[in-house]
Amino acid sequence: MALVDSRNMFAAAYKGGFAVGAFNVNNMEITQGIVSAVAEEKAPLILQISRGARKYASMSYLRAIIDVAVAENPDIPIVMHLDHGDTFETCKQCVDDGFTSVMIDASKEPFEKNIEITGKVAEYAHAHNVVVEAELGQLGGIEEDVAGVDVGEVSKHLTDPEQAVEFVKKSGCDSLAIACGTSHGAYKFKSEPKLALDVIEAVAEKLPGFPLVMHGSSSVLAEFKDLINKYGGNMPDAMGVPEEAISRAVKLAVCKVNIDTDLRMALTAKIRQVFAESPKEFDPRKYLGPGREAIKEMVRHKLHVLDCAGRAAECL
Ligand SMILES: [Zn+2]
């Protein structure tokens, strides 16, 4: 099977009350860890590439790695998605590069301007049979060059359900990332983690059947946070979205859940552990290998949180 777009996945996810995991890839080990997990769990997959990843690894290397993943897993539908495209030009470039899905994030722009930029991307993408994710409302935190509002202020920037209806109708986007209390990065909450499930519910009620997307949805798993802090790291205040809240969101209209921080932390934790326990080790396979294995087990676990394990066939 060639790369697919997310239309069938989201239709199945909406109907089945699950969400597809969208995992960020930057190199071979991360991709292999994710792909081996979905292959074992028979889950649909969105591999997403940020502008930072394009710059770091180069598109030709990432594309080659993903092509192998697709060829080796004919029963698994795989989407290649641009995460946080910032301009029409970036999105156009990715459509031209063979992405099957692109995100245009003009959420920092005024409402009308966001509609205009998203509409332009949708027009070009749809002409090339590529789907478009847009964003309305503002998330907190920072990830690469995507800087949001202060984490303590996210509740003031949640998606307005009325605006969401108008936005979707006028922009022509195929899915919508909403601000529902999450933030990018490893420091998502100052104290008690809280997800605005009422916002998801309200948007879903006004846009029946329309797929919503949750960004900033890593959980900052204690297992990896503790290893990082035990072996010389310094992330004591890291806090993510509780998995129980994510499970509830995917039962509503959330069809795509973005996970990057948890991948980064799994890999970092294992590398730190190997370096601390085996200071003489200098074979990259001896620390990247355990990192890749940790990613695989973490992703397998996530697929159950999202209830998308065993759903690959439904999404074809
Ligand atoms: Zn994001």
Side-chain angles (χ1 to χ4, degrees):
M1 194 197 321
L3 284 168
V4 299
D5 67 52
S6 52
R7 274 175 279 215
N8 288 353
M9 282 182 193
F10 288 169
Y14 200 97
K15 194 164 153 239
F18 66 93
V20 183
F23 300 96
N24 286 73
V25 290
N26 294 287
N27 70 6
M28 181 186 78
E29 282 82 2
I30 295 171
T31 314
Q32 287 177 325
I34 297 163
V35 171
S36 56
V38 299
E40 273 184 31
E41 297 290 342
K42 308 228 174 309
L45 174 64
I46 297 171
L47 288 174
Q48 51 186 22
I49 295 171
S50 65
R51 282 180 297 134
R54 283 172 67 92
K55 211 163 144 193
Y56 172 77
S58 93
M59 204 44 230
S60 43
Y61 272 86
L62 290 175
R63 180 64 205 252
I65 291 167
I66 292 173
D67 281 344
V68 174
V70 170
E72 287 187 347
N73 296 283
D75 301 333
I76 302 295
I78 300 177
V79 170
M80 184 165 78
H81 173 76
L82 168 67
D83 191 22
H84 289 285
D86 58 337
T87 61
F88 170 76
E89 287 70 28
T90 304
C91 294
K92 179 182 181 295
Q93 183 63 57
C94 289
V95 170
D96 296 345
D97 284 347
F99 281 63
T100 52
S101 172
V102 294
M103 176 191 192
I104 173 70
D105 176 4
S107 61
K108 273 202 217 52
E109 302 287 349
F111 184 63
E112 295 295 340
K113 187 82 185 161
N114 188 356
I115 292 177
E116 182 192 321
I117 297 170
T118 303
K120 195 175 168 196
V121 170
E123 197 181 336
Y124 186 81
H126 291 163
H128 295 78
N129 210 21
V130 170
V131 293
V132 176
E133 174 185 328
E135 181 166 318
L136 183 65
Q138 284 192 45
L139 272 73
I142 185 161
E143 195 164 28
E144 295 183 356
D145 48 2
V146 181
V149 298
D150 185 273
V151 166
E153 303 274 294
V154 285
S155 62
K156 296 180 190 157
H157 301 270
L158 301 177
T159 303
D160 178 297
E162 290 291 349
Q163 276 196 340
V165 178
E166 187 183 344
F167 183 87
V168 167
K169 204 196 285 177
K170 289 188 174 167
S171 71
C173 64
D174 302 283
S175 62
L176 185 66
I178 58 166
C180 58
T182 63
S183 293
H184 289 116
Y187 304 90
K188 300 186 188 297
F189 302 96
K190 293 228 156 119
S191 52
E192 190 67 15
K194 200 171 172 338
L195 211 59
L197 290 167
D198 55 326
V199 169
I200 302 173
E201 248 164 356
V203 175
E205 205 168 293
K206 291 191 184 299
L207 287 169
F210 192 81
L212 303 180
V213 178
M214 261 171 59
H215 281 238
S217 296
S218 282
S219 296
V220 181
L221 299 157
E223 175 191 355
F224 300 123
K225 179 178 150 180
D226 293 348
L227 276 181
I228 287 172
N229 289 324
K230 180 176 174 191
Y231 291 115
N234 185 16
M235 303 182 71
D237 301 325
M239 197 188 293
V241 184
E243 292 185 333
E244 167 268 335
I246 291 173
S247 290
R248 285 169 64 192
V250 311
K251 289 279 168 264
L252 303 169
V254 171
C255 296
K256 172 175 179 269
V257 171
N258 286 13
I259 293 166
D260 190 6
T261 293
D262 284 339
L263 297 167
R264 296 177 178 203
M265 288 183 73
L267 186 57
T268 301
K270 284 296 161 179
I271 290 175
R272 279 196 178 278
Q273 184 176 18
V274 173
F275 284 171
E277 289 177 350
S278 314
K280 290 198 168 72
E281 191 55 73
F282 68 99
D283 178 346
R285 294 168 295 188
K286 297 286 166 54
Y287 50 86
L288 292 174
R292 177 174 62 186
E293 191 58 27
I295 284 176
K296 178 185 168 185
E297 289 311 315
M298 189 279 288
V299 171
R300 284 186 61 181
H301 164 74
K302 289 284 173 192
L303 298 173
H304 290 276
V305 172
L306 304 178
D307 198 17
C308 77
R311 307 277 198 167
E314 280 172 57
C315 298
L316 295 172

